[in-house]
Amino acid sequence: MKSRFIVKAIVVGMVLGVALGGVLHSQLDAAGAKEISTYLNMITDVFLRLIKMVIAPLVLATLVTGVASMSGSGSIGRVGFKAISWFLIASLVSLGIGLVLANLLQPGTGLNLTVDPNQAVNTGLSAGSLSLPVFLSHVFPRSIIEAMGSNEVLQIVIFSLFFGSALAFVKGTGKSLIVDVLEELANVMFKVTDYVMYVAPFAVFAAIASTVTVHGLGMVMTFGKMVAQFFLGIALLWLLISLAGYLALGQRMKPLLSLMREPLLIAFSTASSEAAYPKTIAALEKFGAN
């Protein structure tokens, strides 16, 4: 019931954001629109910061307890190998679909966005070449505190696997106070995530209102075509993933898709995989418990 309410509120926020952005764009000049857009983006930035605040402790708690609950190193290795294999195959399929659709549909054609040649533009992308030392430095953490502070999820996953494996060996078949504490931490962070998700409709409203305020309602249709093409690629990918999951899980695939509905809707509505990450973990934990 709560998840349905949040999803409905997100949809309402999208509609209201378009309406407010259209009104502000028609009433303000370019300088005023950019200033208002800056204030609106503050709400979205707060939401994304809250999401990032939740991710590190939630990933650490859930992965360590999950690995520690396995019977032995053999099961851990099998699960890890299957997870990595699935991730690599899904990534390759996703890249293939993206390359085919990008060449066929030419997304972004007609946007006619110009960049001031006298103004430096930061794309947020690293221009350095990828090498093995750079790759390893991003995979293996120097400090778990540093990894959690910078939200390096892959580094947190690596530490959690080592820590969970060692914890499983130390505790043997008995109980462990550390596992109990981490399970309680995971439950608390799931509740914190629920609180944070109440901010999602306001963040979506602010993000859309900010964009429409600067670019106008005409950009809604133009961006809409590009987003529709993106959703087409996502739909094709999920169709293939669902078919593969059905072959592997059989009828259990249906309850898994039902549990994944909320994180998927949140990811699409907020355009942020980080926003959906905590809910994805919760869905997988619930599916594994069943």
Side-chain angles (χ1 to χ4, degrees), residues 169-235:
F169 176 80
V170 170
K171 78 181 185 68
T173 58
K175 293 185 178 180
S176 171
L177 178 61
I178 297 179
V179 174
D180 293 338
V181 171
L182 290 175
E183 287 180 349
E184 191 67 20
L185 173 62
N187 292 331
V188 172
M189 295 313 300
F190 282 135
K191 180 57 66 173
V192 173
T193 302
D194 290 337
Y195 296 153
V196 171
M197 290 316 302
Y198 284 114
V199 187
F202 301 99
V204 173
F205 163 78
I208 293 181
S210 172
T211 301
V212 178
T213 297
V214 174
H215 299 288
L217 289 174
M219 294 300 293
V220 174
M221 292 299 298
T222 307
F223 278 126
K225 293 179 181 178
M226 186 172 63
V227 171
Q229 294 170 355
F230 168 74
F231 282 171
L232 174 62
I234 293 294

Side-chain angles (χ1 to χ4, degrees), residues 53-264:
M53 173 189 73
V54 173
I55 290 175
L58 186 57
V59 170
L60 178 68
T62 52
L63 281 182
V64 171
T65 54
V67 172
S69 64
M70 295 182 181
S71 57
S73 59
S75 60
I76 295 174
R78 288 193 298 271
V79 172
F81 177 76
K82 290 179 181 178
I84 293 175
S85 300
W86 175 261
F87 173 78
L88 291 176
I89 293 173
S91 298
L92 290 175
V93 172
S94 177
L95 289 172
I97 293 175
L99 288 173
V100 171
L101 292 182
N103 284 279
L104 290 178
L105 302 178
Q106 302 282 319
T109 302
L111 287 179
N112 297 323
L113 297 178
T114 58
V115 178
D116 187 354
N118 298 321
Q119 183 179 3
V121 177
N122 181 17
T123 63
L125 300 175
S126 176
S129 59
L130 179 64
S131 61
L132 182 60
V134 173
F135 172 75
L136 292 177
S137 68
H138 281 84
V139 172
F140 296 97
R142 292 179 297 184
S143 166
I144 185 57
I145 304 299
E146 179 185 7
M148 295 183 69
S150 57
N151 265 331
E152 293 286 348
V153 177
L154 185 56
Q155 295 183 8
I156 298 173
V157 169
I158 295 297
F159 174 84
S160 300
L161 292 176
F162 277 100
F163 190 86
S165 301
L167 183 58
F169 176 80
V170 170
K171 78 181 185 68
T173 58
K175 293 185 178 180
S176 171
L177 178 61
I178 297 179
V179 174
D180 293 338
V181 171
L182 290 175
E183 287 180 349
E184 191 67 20
L185 173 62
N187 292 331
V188 172
M189 295 313 300
F190 282 135
K191 180 57 66 173
V192 173
T193 302
D194 290 337
Y195 296 153
V196 171
M197 290 316 302
Y198 284 114
V199 187
F202 301 99
V204 173
F205 163 78
I208 293 181
S210 172
T211 301
V212 178
T213 297
V214 174
H215 299 288
L217 289 174
M219 294 300 293
V220 174
M221 292 299 298
T222 307
F223 278 126
K225 293 179 181 178
M226 186 172 63
V227 171
Q229 294 170 355
F230 168 74
F231 282 171
L232 174 62
I234 293 294
L236 292 175
L237 175 62
W238 269 95
L239 177 61
L240 294 176
I241 290 177
S242 299
L243 291 175
Y246 184 80
L247 293 176
L249 299 175
Q251 294 298 324
R252 296 188 66 200
M253 189 62 186
K254 293 181 180 179
L256 176 59
L257 290 176
S258 177
L259 291 172
M260 291 296 295
R261 179 176 56 185
E262 181 181 354
L264 287 175

Side-chain angles (χ1 to χ4, degrees), residues 16-29 209 212-213 216-217:
L16 293 178
V18 172
L20 177 62
V23 172
L24 292 176
H25 181 78
S26 63
Q27 299 296 323
L28 300 174
D29 56 11
V212 178
T213 297
L217 289 174

